[in-house]
Amino acid sequence: DQQVKQNSPSLSVQEGRISILNCDYTNSMFDYFLWYKKYPAEGPTFLISISSIKDKNEDGRFTVFLNKSAKHLSLHIVPSQPGDSAVYFCAASEGQAGTALIFGKGTTLSVSS
Amino acid sequence: KAGVTQTPRYLIKTRGQQVTLSCSPISGHRSVSWYQQTPGQGLQFLFEYFSETQRNKGNFPGRFSGRQFSNSRSEMNVSTLELGDSALYLCASSPDGTGYGYTFGSGTRLTVV
């Protein structure tokens, strides 16, 4: 049973517009959430994270929003650029040492110029 | 500083054989985790090692094993390879094994024929 779900396998956006990637989770013990970006034949690269004590975190063009009551988080990319085209993974952990990162299955973002 | 290094990058093995993959973490990182990525299942946690001890294990058969050396380098072994073991195997290191500081390597692409 998937604890982290990314229900949209793909998303297409035009350059300069906003990209919104969504993620839902079921485990209320998760207290730390991360977004990773992955290009083919490379490992995931950390993008941005958020602790459960916050509801928003920004880093340049990337903002992550967390709605704990809905067990939902989203990644906003503004403005989107062609170089943002990649697979985006949402991940969650319980924050304790040794616990695994639980990943969603990813959303492939395509940004067209 | 050097990132997480995984060797080899690509590997082709025959069904029934065994394989060993290697991971050198970022200097100073004591935790190493292994993940399997397949198109259908996304990234799935295999196991995590900290100071030469396995602290956590995912839901994989006993054919998958690992170890960590005193210099924090880690190896994972898969015995009696099956076609379904074909995947990208990713190693991630972090200072202490919490979700906050994971850095991934580029992975080893294993193909079982």
Side-chain angles (χ1 to χ4, degrees):
Chain A
D1 194 27
Q2 273 191 280
Q3 297 185 69
V4 177
K5 295 181 183 179
Q6 294 178 257
N7 291 320
S8 298
S10 62
L11 176 67
S12 294
V13 171
Q14 282 194 319
E15 182 179 8
R17 307 293 290 269
I18 184 171
S19 295
I20 300 176
L21 296 96
N22 294 304
C23 178
D24 297 298
Y25 62 96
T26 57
N27 187 343
S28 58
M29 297 299 291
F30 288 148
D31 61 359
Y32 198 70
F33 304 89
L34 310 91
W35 285 93
Y36 282 85
K37 174 180 176 180
K38 187 180 184 301
Y39 295 113
E42 293 183 13
T45 303
F46 171 75
L47 260 182
I48 191 169
S49 62
I50 187 166
S51 163
S52 60
I53 63 174
K54 295 186 174 182
D55 54 19
K56 178 182 174 182
N57 189 28
E58 284 182 85
D59 185 1
R61 297 186 297 112
F62 302 91
T63 303
V64 57
F65 296 92
L66 176 61
N67 181 335
K68 289 186 289 295
S69 61
K71 293 191 176 69
H72 176 82
L73 62 155
S74 61
L75 174 68
H76 292 210
I77 306 173
V78 185
S80 301
Q81 300 173 352
D84 296 330
S85 298
V87 181
Y88 288 78
F89 290 97
C90 169
S93 77
E94 294 184 26
Q96 300 167 19
T99 55
L101 284 178
I102 307 299
F103 284 86
K105 293 192 176 182
T107 296
T108 300
L109 173 65
S110 299
V111 180
S112 57
S113 55
Chain B
K1 70 184 176 182
V4 178
T5 304
Q6 291 188 246
T7 56
R9 285 298 308 273
Y10 302 93
L11 208 46
I12 300 175
K13 288 287 188 178
T14 303
R15 192 170 48 182
Q17 287 186 314
Q18 68 97 25
V19 67
T20 299
L21 312 181
S22 179
C23 173
S24 293
I26 291 173
S27 178
H29 285 193
R30 297 170 64 189
S31 168
V32 173
S33 296
W34 289 87
Y35 289 80
Q36 181 196 65
Q37 186 188 12
T38 57
Q41 297 298 321
L43 281 93
Q44 292 188 289
F45 173 74
L46 281 155
F47 27 67
E48 188 256 358
Y49 287 87
F50 182 84
S51 293
E52 302 179 66
T53 300
Q54 185 183 92
R55 286 199 299 197
N56 196 4
K57 188 177 190 306
N59 189 25
F60 278 82
R63 299 185 297 106
F64 292 81
S65 63
R67 59 178 176 168
Q68 186 181 35
F69 302 95
S70 59
N71 62 357
S72 293
R73 191 178 71 85
S74 177
E75 289 180 347
M76 70 162 280
N77 185 78
V78 187
S79 62
T80 319
L81 284 165
E82 301 177 358
L83 297 178
D85 297 332
S86 295
L88 180 66
Y89 290 88
L90 292 158
C91 165
S93 76
S94 79
D96 58 4
T98 64
Y100 309 115
Y102 276 119
T103 301
F104 282 84
S106 296
T108 294
R109 170 70 64 184
L110 171 65
T111 303
V112 182
V113 297

